[in-house]
Structures are given as structure tokens and as C-alpha cells.
Amino acid sequence: MGTNLVELAPDHPGFADPTYRARRDAIAQLALAWDGGAIPVAPYVEEEHQVWREVWAQLGWLHERRVVAELLELQRSFPIERERIPQLAEISKRLESLTGFRMVPVEGLVPPRRFFSRLRDGVFAATQYVRHPSRPLYTPEPDVIHELVGHAATLSHPRLAAINRKFGEAAVVGDRQLLTRIERVYWFTLEFGVCEQAGELRAYGAGLLSSVGELERATDRATAGLEFRRWDLEAIASCDYDTSQYQTELFVAPSFARMLDDLEAWLDRAIANQIANQIAKRS
């Protein structure tokens, strides 16, 4: 299996599936060959559309009960096809008309600085492949379901789009230490963020919105093995995380609006402090 274009860990559900690996390689090749022009059409097969439908069959009703009202409203104004996987080009065009953000294809996970720096320019690097059909309700890595179900609607929100750009600005000026802090804050907010709303826990992070298993766990205060921590962005910036398993701790914002305000202010301070430090070093 060493000749595969896309490397998968031995515990990945598709590791020993040659058909799946061939599909991953074919879709990755589309992204690698992309020259910045028209976004390539991913030739999804019926089995992949079936995974999409299966995920939506469970996510649809869960979203109504477990996702913040602000994002549910966005889903109504920015609907996404639920019977077949939409093409990235279609979603990108719709996003660009709303907030100026574009989604462009990448073959898989990209280095943090590369990912964040593109956010500054209103570019979201998105994968096009589909998670393995044996585990439709969870993926150990971002796939097209995560990108479109999780991130697309949030990028249509003007303030969330602006905050994504600020993450990019911070990454561009930031040193290695700040980049690590940025990664953690992004992970525990825009990927795995929850907040209080109407006396309940509601999700707003893309990683939660696109995973049935994670969404159920993250919005149930009685979830075993999951600690709900007090909202504190400095604590978040110092907290490590594991991408290979369900989350063991989450930070609960007092409200969706408070999350937006605090996150924007934290990023502004981080950018200003980094620039001031750079000027001081040159003096």
C-alpha cells in the first residue's frame, strides 16, 4: 500500500479497502492538478451519495435540537442539497456572493500556517473526498461532509466569515508560538465550539455540526468522559487537543454573541501584540 497517493493510518477505517483508497487517490489527484481556474468536478459514485444521505438522515433532526439558532437560520437561507453531494464549485460560488469567501480544493490536510494564511484572503481550503462507508457518522479527518455541512453555512455568516479572516491575519504575522495558540483557539471554537442557549448546550463548531456522534455527546451535559470547561480563551489557547478521537473536553461560551465578541477581541489583541513585538525586536 506504499504506492498510494494518499497515506492512511493503519487504524483508518479505509486502510485495508483498496476500492476506497483508489477513490481517495483519484479525488486527491483532482486537487493536486488544479491550476487555480475552474474547480474540478468530483465524480462521486452512488455509494458516496448514499453516505451523504445517511449522514443527513440523522444530522437533520439533530441540528434542529442541538445547533445554535443563529446557524439554523443560516441553514434555511443557505440550504444545502441533502440527497446528493453538492459540488464544491457550486457552494463556493454561492458563498462568494454572500461574504466573499471561496472554497478551493485540497488533496487532504494541509499545514496549519498554509491553511490559516489562506483564510486571510477569504479562501477556505476544502477536501472533496467522502469518509469511509463503514463509519458514516464519524471521520478522523476532514472530508467533504465536514467541509460543506460544517463550514459552508458558518462561512455564510458575515461575522464568522470576518473572524475566519482574522485567524488568517494572526497566522500571517504570528510566530510559531502564536500559531500554536491560534490552532487551539480555532479548534475549541470554530471547530468544536458549544455555547449556552435557552438553558441548553448548543453547538456552533463545524466539527460538531458534521458529526452525529460528536454532536450528540457535545450537547449532553451528562456525557461520560467529557468535561465541559468554563469559557476562557487564554485557557483554550493553552489546551492541547487530539484529532484522532472524540473530544474529552470542551469550552462552553455563555452565548453565541459573547463568543463572537470575545473571539474577535482576542484575535485583535493577538495581532496587535505580535506586531508590537516584531517592531520592538527591530528597534
Side-chain angles (χ1 to χ4, degrees):
M1 292 187 180
T3 59
N4 289 101
L5 175 63
V6 177
E7 293 296 327
L8 300 179
D11 60 351
H12 190 285
F15 181 77
D17 183 339
T19 300
Y20 179 76
R21 299 196 73 152
R23 292 292 299 155
R24 285 288 297 268
D25 282 353
I27 292 177
Q29 188 58 53
L30 291 175
L32 288 171
W34 181 59
D35 60 4
I39 295 175
V41 173
Y44 297 119
V45 297
E46 182 55 33
E47 183 179 35
E48 290 164 331
H49 289 300
Q50 178 55 39
V51 172
W52 177 268
R53 287 192 291 270
E54 187 173 349
V55 172
W56 263 121
Q58 299 203 46
L59 275 181
W61 67 270
L62 265 179
H63 276 201
E64 292 296 326
R65 294 164 175 77
R66 308 287 182 97
V67 172
V68 294
E70 291 84 351
L71 293 189
L72 290 178
E73 180 58 33
L74 279 177
Q75 288 179 358
R76 287 186 275 271
S77 61
F78 192 86
I80 293 177
E81 168 67 43
R82 297 190 178 189
E83 291 301 311
R84 301 184 70 78
I85 306 169
Q87 289 294 327
L88 195 61
E90 170 202 338
I91 300 299
S92 180
K93 183 178 180 180
R94 292 170 57 197
L95 270 179
E96 192 167 11
S97 69
L98 292 173
T99 61
F101 248 93
R102 295 184 297 124
M103 301 186 93
V104 301
V106 290
E107 68 278 10
L109 285 171
V110 296
R113 194 176 295 278
R114 176 183 164 199
F115 171 78
F116 285 111
S117 63
R118 298 180 86 175
L119 292 180
R120 180 193 63 171
D121 300 321
V123 176
F124 188 92
T127 56
Q128 291 179 285
Y129 60 83
V130 184
R131 62 193 60 176
H132 195 267
S134 68
R135 296 191 68 191
L137 306 185
Y138 175 78
T139 176
E141 59 197 330
D143 71 336
V144 69
I145 297 174
H146 172 75
E147 315 290 29
L148 300 189
V149 178
H151 284 289
T154 62
L155 291 171
S156 72
H157 187 289
R159 284 198 68 191
L160 284 174
I163 285 172
N164 269 274
R165 286 179 183 270
K166 280 188 184 292
F167 270 104
E169 292 173 29
V172 168
V173 302
D175 56 17
R176 179 63 247 184
Q177 182 181 18
L178 178 57
L179 184 61
T180 297
R181 288 165 58 81
I182 290 167
E183 290 178 64
R184 291 167 175 167
V185 170
Y186 191 90
W187 182 265
F188 285 112
T189 58
L190 300 194
E191 286 287 2
F192 288 90
V194 293
C195 67
E196 299 279 358
Q197 192 165 84
E200 298 180 338
L201 289 178
R202 295 295 180 95
Y204 63 85
L208 300 177
L209 270 60
S210 57
S211 171
V212 173
E214 289 274 27
L215 182 54
E216 289 182 313
R217 295 176 74 257
T219 50
D220 183 353
R221 297 181 198 275
T223 297
L226 177 56
E227 179 186 1
F228 294 99
R229 297 183 59 181
R230 182 176 62 84
W231 178 247
D232 182 337
L233 283 167
E234 281 303 308
I236 292 174
S238 301
C239 186
D240 288 329
Y241 59 87
D242 187 346
T243 64
S244 65
Q245 63 180 6
Y246 283 133
Q247 301 306 295
T248 57
E249 54 188 331
L250 296 174
F251 292 82
V252 183
S255 69
F256 185 71
R258 170 76 177 276
M259 178 276 297
L260 292 173
D261 290 343
D262 288 358
L263 194 50
E264 192 170 50
W266 187 88
L267 288 165
D268 282 338
R269 287 194 301 272
I271 293 168
N273 290 340
Q274 190 70 35
I275 292 174
N277 290 339
Q278 291 172 356
I279 292 173
K281 287 179 180 179
R282 291 196 295 266
S283 300

